[in-house]
Amino acid sequence: MNTKAANSGSGQTQSGRPARLSLADWMPKIVMAPTVIVTLVCIYGYMIWTAVLSFTNSRMLPSYDFVGFDQYERLFNNDRWMVALTNLGVFGGMFIAICLFLGVTLAIFLDQKIRAEGALRTIYLYPMAISFIVTGTAWKWLLNPTNGLEKMMVNLGFEDFTFNWLADPDMVIYCLVIAAVWQASGFVMALFLAGLRGVDGDLIKAAHLDGASIFTTYRRIILPSLKPVFFSAMVILSHIAIKSFDLVAALTNGGPGYSSDLPANFMYAHTFTRSQVGLGSASAMIMLGCVLAILVPYLYSELRGERHE
Amino acid sequence: MKKIAFGLTTVALSLAAATSQAGEVEVLHWWTSGGEAAAINVLKEEMVGAGHTWKDFAVAGGGGESAMTVLKSRAIAGNPPSAAQIKGPTIQEWGDLGFLTNLDDVAKAGEWDVVLPRVVSDTMKYGGHYVAAPVNVHRVNWMWANPEVFRKSGASIPTTWKQFIVEAKKIKAAGFTPLAHGGQAWQDATLFEAIALSKGAQFYSSAFIGLSDKALRSKEMVDVFDTFKQMREFVDPGFSGRDWNIATSMVINGDAAMQIMGDWAKGEFTAAGKKAGVDYVCYPAPGTSGAFTFNIDSLAMFKVDGKDKQAAQKDLARLILEPKFQETFNLNKGSIPTRLNMPRDKFDACAQSSMDAFLASSTTGSLVPSMAHGMAVNSMVQGAIFDVVTNFFNDESMTSKEAVDKLARAVKASM
């Protein structure tokens, strides 16, 4: 038995060695191939298809009747699209700014070696575990002018208290900001907390010896060294802002009127419920443009960084 | 062991035999609220009674927007359901794409051409052939009112929009919500089209069917927008995004006095155990008593593979038009049968008055398709009108003149 096994084993190694080596060479490629193909087709392929459709006059189902930039022209003449784009600017800007500010502040406070840090961190991070649909529905109840917050304040004796942002076309976008910030700022905090823990302790000690206050230490030494964390947080948050769809769908459904529409909701409504696949594809391409505008500088700086090393 | 194997084989064989005799129908619909679900159950029971399998494919959402999305993805994937709730001009769009099957033999056997009014049978046909079966006729220009609230606030039921505003002020002063409303685009449009209809069926048709620029920019249209904006102060602050059946429940509970909504609202009253004429009353929307905006629900039949499935599909189409189903379904749903000359003794006062108005208006020419419910224009034009109407209702700074201009331009751009 033993000799047989040894023989056959050695026989295999002798005759099969080159074959095995090449199989081992091929293995990673074979394993990766399905993923690569699926990614190429399902992400890049459909991206190209959408781009093609945005130049056609597709209505209920895709057609290949090319009309040039007509759909883009119609898109930018469409009042609703302009509202959606403006909303993206307001929502995205405020969402990113407030999330970063709150996240950094919370992280710095948590970094002071306080008691029950683990529990606090979990409390702040937990909203991230909830989907935007749940967040939206919960805030819809809280902000509803006839029950929720307003009713609670009136019941408490503040008869004149009104809070009708959800029904006010000018203020509704801030409702979205509130809900989104509540959801994501804990995540930003976690990112920065990890970053803060990675800062070289000697640097901080040196600063202290030089007589810098805690505030100055953070402002001049620690936070500047967290630039990459800032950048990652920005990229992630702006992605969340641009692809925001579920939050609007659950919280306001674009209303009142269409005053809280975001581009993703516009795209969905026109492509899927209004039989305007061409127009919807054009709006999707603009959204892709927004994402690229953020992603390309990021990738560029990342790749350049590598080359330096 | 052998016995078990034999038993299993027998079971498998008998199952196979059973499925080859009785077909399966998969029906996509959005009848999901209380009264609606009870109504569609009637059809389900009849199909099961005829020996078929019913596969329910219900997609929630009042206007059926999400249901249509699901349907499109299924159709593109080459796997459409046997029947889907499609109506109005959308039937033609699907017909153009070649998805619908011919029902002429069923229609001939059931004499659909005789039992259906012309305006109904025309919308069920694509290129002269029946492709869909009408389930019911809804009247959209209805007003539902809670008499108790009217008594408490000393107001009377309005018959014109001018009077509506006077009475609504009294109701508001008494501490009730005058108008139960849900701020979703289609509900805004339902209210808007009821106001437009009060300017006459002629005006309505040229504006929303003919889409004439002159009618869209007319003085009447400015008036319509003016009245529409005034409704804004009679709804409660929480109206934004509310579902229609929640608004109906406000009338049922006595929180609100009136709701302008199609007669599917009656299904909600019935489901809550309320009696027409006692707990609630129905009137035509102010100023539209002689007119009738219709919304016809229909099940369009898709091309399906398999003899058994096709047989089941034909049975489904046949059963929909049988008097028994038409009666039970419409009693539950709150609408009226599409068949003419049905016994009407089981229907309540609201349905009977709806039947009268349906017959009468079809002779006077004031029977018009509902714009808000996708019977008058295709989904692109409808979407454009919705955008202007809903934006105007919520934007306090927009004037009626601006709205009219926007409406005319939006309609033109979407054609």
Side-chain angles (χ1 to χ4, degrees):
Chain A
M1 277 289 271
N2 274 343
T3 42
K4 241 187 189 176
N7 276 349
S8 69
S10 65
Q12 253 180 19
T13 28
Q14 271 170 6
S15 63
R17 190 154 214 168
R20 251 201 216 163
L21 248 187
S22 74
L23 182 68
D25 278 345
W26 277 101
M27 215 45 182
K29 283 170 190 142
I30 292 169
V31 170
M32 290 305 290
T35 337
V36 172
I37 291 166
V38 168
T39 312
L40 279 181
V41 173
C42 293
I43 298 179
Y44 297 96
Y46 285 140
M47 245 182 224
I48 293 165
W49 193 34
T50 309
V52 170
L53 286 180
S54 73
F55 294 107
T56 67
N57 67 349
S58 302
R59 293 196 152 183
M60 195 158 93
L61 294 179
S63 86
Y64 298 97
D65 202 354
F66 289 93
V67 290
F69 280 91
D70 270 17
Q71 300 286 11
Y72 290 91
E73 210 180 308
R74 281 173 65 191
L75 187 65
F76 282 91
N77 282 325
N78 189 320
D79 190 41
R80 186 167 175 174
W81 171 251
M82 296 319 284
V83 169
L85 263 193
T86 322
N87 277 345
L88 178 62
V90 174
F91 171 77
M94 288 187 70
F95 167 67
I96 295 171
I98 299 177
C99 267
L100 280 178
F101 176 76
L102 277 182
V104 172
T105 318
L106 287 174
I108 289 175
F109 282 142
L110 271 187
D111 195 32
Q112 307 308 311
K113 316 237 157 42
I114 52 167
R115 231 186 291 168
E117 188 204 305
L120 278 175
R121 203 173 49 202
T122 313
I123 289 172
Y124 285 124
L125 188 58
Y126 208 70
M128 195 68 186
I130 303 172
S131 84
F132 262 129
I133 288 281
V134 181
T135 307
T137 312
W139 280 96
K140 183 173 153 183
W141 293 332
L142 286 172
L143 299 171
N144 185 308
T146 50
N147 45 41
L149 189 67
E150 179 171 317
K151 188 161 183 211
M152 189 188 86
M153 295 303 276
V154 171
N155 286 352
L156 281 175
F158 300 91
E159 299 276 322
D160 294 332
F161 183 85
T162 50
F163 187 78
N164 64 342
W165 282 11
L166 205 56
D168 184 342
D170 296 328
M171 304 303 284
V172 68
I173 189 71
Y174 303 112
C175 291
L176 292 179
V177 175
I178 293 173
V181 164
W182 177 82
Q183 168 117 345
S185 51
F187 167 69
V188 179
M189 175 204 77
L191 274 184
F192 274 95
L193 200 55
L196 288 173
R197 294 287 150 82
V199 174
D200 191 356
D202 292 345
L203 260 179
I204 302 169
K205 269 181 205 149
H208 277 285
L209 285 179
D210 284 349
S213 67
I214 291 183
F215 180 75
T216 325
T217 324
Y218 271 107
R219 194 170 65 89
R220 306 290 293 265
I221 297 176
I222 301 180
L223 288 182
S225 70
L226 291 183
K227 233 183 199 160
V229 182
F230 260 109
F231 217 67
S232 310
M234 277 277 286
V235 168
I236 292 170
L237 289 177
S238 38
H239 275 207
I240 294 179
I242 293 170
K243 71 182 184 194
S244 260
F245 170 83
D246 32 9
L247 182 65
V248 181
L251 183 59
T252 64
N253 202 8
Y258 49 76
S259 50
S260 60
D261 244 13
L262 289 181
N265 301 80
F266 178 95
M267 193 282 286
Y268 178 80
H270 285 77
T271 314
F272 297 111
T273 65
R274 291 195 175 172
S275 306
Q276 284 174 297
V277 171
L279 191 70
S281 305
S283 68
M285 291 320 287
I286 303 286
M287 281 167 65
L288 177 66
C290 292
V291 174
L292 286 183
I294 296 161
L295 206 61
V296 167
Y298 176 69
L299 287 179
Y300 182 69
S301 72
E302 289 278 292
L303 293 177
R304 221 173 50 155
E306 256 167 44
R307 220 178 286 146
H308 275 301
E309 283 161 26
Chain B
M1 265 307 255
K2 256 185 190 169
K3 258 187 188 168
I4 295 173
F6 178 72
L8 282 176
T9 326
T10 333
V11 170
L13 279 175
S14 60
L15 273 177
T19 44
S20 68
Q21 279 161 8
E24 179 192 80
V25 282
E26 192 181 7
V27 181
L28 183 144
H29 63 89
W30 61 86
W31 288 308
T32 47
S33 83
E36 293 174 332
I40 190 69
N41 240 4
V42 178
L43 189 58
K44 181 181 175 179
E45 275 159 21
E46 289 205 2
M47 281 301 283
V48 173
H52 300 297
T53 338
W54 173 282
K55 205 167 153 198
D56 207 40
F57 186 6
V59 182
E65 287 189 354
S66 24
M68 283 300 106
T69 309
V70 176
L71 178 61
K72 269 174 221 164
S73 60
R74 288 273 305 256
I76 293 175
N79 178 30
S82 314
Q85 191 185 346
I86 308 176
K87 56 185 191 178
T90 322
I91 295 178
Q92 309 303 320
E93 284 179 44
W94 282 100
D96 281 338
L97 295 168
F99 279 107
L100 302 180
T101 191
N102 190 328
L103 295 174
D104 279 349
D105 47 344
V106 185
K108 205 161 184 203
E111 297 189 310
W112 289 10
D113 277 328
V114 182
V115 297
L116 296 176
R118 186 69 198 273
V119 63
V120 177
S121 62
D122 277 354
T123 45
M124 297 303 129
K125 287 178 185 169
Y126 172 72
H129 301 289
Y130 278 102
V131 291
V135 178
N136 59 4
V137 177
H138 278 296
R139 187 184 195 183
V140 182
N141 57 326
W142 271 119
M143 178 173 78
W144 308 91
N146 187 325
E148 186 71 18
V149 176
F150 272 89
R151 213 182 38 250
K152 277 186 194 155
S153 47
S156 52
I157 305 277
T159 53
T160 63
W161 285 106
K162 265 211 178 78
Q163 199 192 343
F164 183 101
I165 290 160
V166 176
E167 304 298 339
K169 278 181 180 151
K170 285 186 205 162
I171 297 165
K172 200 176 180 187
F176 297 101
T177 303
L179 184 64
H181 185 63
Q184 294 170 333
W186 69 271
Q187 294 189 57
D188 291 339
T190 302
L191 180 59
F192 176 76
E193 93 177 359
I195 298 172
L197 187 63
S198 73
K199 297 279 173 193
Q202 191 70 44
F203 166 72
Y204 180 96
S205 307
S206 50
F208 297 134
I209 306 168
L211 300 172
S212 103
D213 200 53
K214 210 175 124 206
L216 289 173
R217 288 180 187 275
S218 63
K219 162 109 194 8
E220 279 99 335
M221 195 54 97
V222 179
D223 279 355
V224 169
F225 273 107
D226 278 340
T227 311
F228 184 53
K229 185 50 101 25
Q230 278 171 305
M231 295 300 125
R232 183 71 174 74
E233 57 183 281
F234 300 131
V235 300
D236 66 309
F239 80 103
S240 192
R242 177 187 284 147
D243 281 323
W244 69 270
N245 47 343
I246 309 227
T248 310
S249 72
M250 290 168 68
V251 180
I252 295 175
N253 300 335
D255 295 330
M258 298 169 269
Q259 185 186 16
I260 306 285
M261 182 50 62
D263 50 16
W264 47 91
K266 200 172 65 188
E268 296 298 303
F269 284 102
T270 313
K274 303 286 175 186
K275 284 242 154 13
V278 183
D279 302 310
Y280 69 98
V281 288
C282 52
Y283 286 93
T288 67
S289 63
F292 193 114
T293 31
F294 66 81
N295 175 18
I296 298 173
D297 283 324
S298 47
L299 290 176
M301 305 293 165
F302 281 76
K303 286 178 183 154
V304 288
D305 292 330
K307 278 245 154 50
D308 49 334
K309 279 194 177 179
Q310 285 165 0
Q313 189 181 44
K314 298 249 145 113
D315 262 357
L316 178 70
R318 179 176 60 81
L319 283 170
I320 288 171
L321 258 284
E322 302 240 302
K324 185 168 157 259
F325 168 73
Q326 288 274 323
E327 184 176 271
T328 349
F329 180 88
N330 286 304
L331 282 172
N332 276 310
K333 181 99 196 306
S335 44
I336 61 172
T338 48
R339 277 181 85 104
L340 297 171
N341 310 320
M342 290 265 301
R344 47 162 74 182
D345 46 315
K346 280 195 191 153
F347 287 91
D348 59 20
C350 298
Q352 295 206 8
S353 107
S354 184
M355 289 178 191
D356 291 338
F358 185 52
L359 272 181
S361 60
S362 64
T363 55
T364 60
S366 37
L367 180 63
V368 288
S370 164
M371 176 276 293
H373 296 274
M375 300 298 297
V377 286
N378 66 31
S379 44
M380 282 163 272
V381 178
Q382 188 194 15
I385 298 177
F386 274 21
D387 277 351
V388 176
V389 166
T390 189
N391 192 30
F392 172 78
F393 195 59
N394 288 290
D395 182 355
E396 274 161 27
S397 62
M398 202 197 293
T399 68
S400 302
K401 282 233 168 62
E402 285 167 3
V404 164
D405 182 53
K406 268 193 174 177
L407 183 68
R409 277 193 293 123
V411 166
K412 199 172 250 171
S414 67
M415 278 199 295

